[in-house]
Amino acid sequence: GAPQENLPQLIDIVAMFYPFRSLIGRAADEGTLPLWNPYIMSGAPFQANAQSALFAPINILYYVLPLTIAWTANLVIRMFLAAIFMTLFVRAIGGSATGSILSGILFALCGFTVQWQGMSNGESGIWLPLMCYSILRLHREPSGKSIAIAGFAFAMPVLSGHPETAAHSTAAACAIAVALWLSPVRCGARPFETRFALAFVFAGFLALGLASVQMIPTLEWLGQLGLKIEEP
């Protein structure tokens, strides 16, 4: 078997993520939202903990299904969505049908997605190709529907519970947006399109609004912790 020192992070599934989902399931049985976790550290904020992912769409399963079934279905749905989102993105950039499907399968089964199954890293990471797709769609068709898709896509990594992955994914998608704004690739398009820039800004505000249900409590809690960064 693998050396023990190579597996320490896997304990997070047993010690944190599965109990977190169990707490959501218990609250669902009581018809409440679990704002507080009484089972760790003599009690601690739960909803304000970004990794609780209380408002992640996939975690709605814990409100309607038994815990073990919801957990298993969540893992399957993650991989399915990862494949669908990457297929959409590759198809949008001109990939063939076969190439797009193959790209989706490879992304869904790649090391990062599989390794972080059951953890917030994996769930936040699956939204990156949808974010990239939404930017391309927004550039080609800066409509209200495209703004809504982009706003939703950018909010999901935050709601899925891993701020670092959300930040990395947002940076990558924003880089694509800037590249398209500076050097548009579609025929007849001009650089520095005001309509695209405004649509992107509106999508950003929409994403912030959707993600605020998680961001505001988390930031408030972090402020109350009194953490200080020591100078080297």
Side-chain angles (χ1 to χ4, degrees):
Q4 185 175 357
E5 60 270 17
N6 292 338
L7 304 175
Q9 292 177 322
L10 295 182
I11 193 62
D12 287 348
I13 295 180
V14 177
M16 184 169 71
F17 291 105
Y18 193 84
F20 277 9
R21 305 303 177 252
S22 177
L23 185 58
I24 294 176
R26 291 185 183 183
D29 293 338
E30 299 170 358
T32 62
L33 286 174
L35 305 181
W36 184 258
N37 185 352
Y39 303 107
I40 60 173
M41 302 171 61
S42 298
F46 182 72
Q47 189 263 323
N49 184 336
Q51 297 204 67
S52 69
L54 182 58
F55 298 107
I58 303 177
N59 287 341
I60 294 175
L61 293 174
Y62 295 100
Y63 279 89
V64 297
L65 296 173
L67 175 62
T68 54
I69 296 176
W71 175 268
T72 304
N74 187 294
L75 301 182
V76 175
I77 291 173
R78 281 189 191 188
M79 299 185 72
F80 176 76
L81 290 178
I84 291 296
F85 295 155
M86 182 56 77
T87 299
L88 283 173
F89 174 57
V90 174
R91 190 64 170 161
I93 60 177
S96 65
T98 302
S100 300
I101 294 172
L102 180 60
S103 298
I105 293 173
L106 291 176
F107 180 69
L109 299 178
C110 74
F112 183 90
T113 305
V114 173
Q115 177 184 353
W116 298 113
Q117 276 281 55
M119 304 188 196
S120 59
N121 316 48
E123 186 163 339
S124 291
I126 68 171
W127 299 97
L128 175 59
L130 181 64
M131 296 166 71
C132 297
Y133 165 79
S134 72
I135 291 298
L136 290 173
R137 178 189 172 98
L138 192 66
H139 183 253
R140 295 168 181 171
E141 182 188 343
S143 62
K145 186 176 181 179
S146 296
I147 291 173
I149 293 173
F152 173 83
F154 274 74
M156 288 306 102
V158 178
L159 297 181
S160 295
H162 201 257
E164 296 93 331
T165 301
H168 297 159
S169 299
T170 300
C174 287
I176 293 177
V178 172
L180 289 174
W181 186 61
L182 294 175
S183 303
V185 295
R186 77 173 186 271
C187 181
R190 300 189 305 273
F192 311 112
E193 287 189 357
T194 303
R195 189 181 179 192
F196 169 62
L198 289 176
F200 182 67
V201 170
F202 287 141
F205 279 116
L206 176 59
L208 287 174
L210 293 173
S212 63
V213 68
Q214 181 64 65
M215 294 173 61
I216 292 176
T218 298
L219 292 174
E220 182 180 359
W221 179 40
L222 292 176
Q224 293 175 355
L225 292 177
L227 298 177
K228 296 181 180 180
I229 300 176
E230 297 182 359
E231 295 293 335

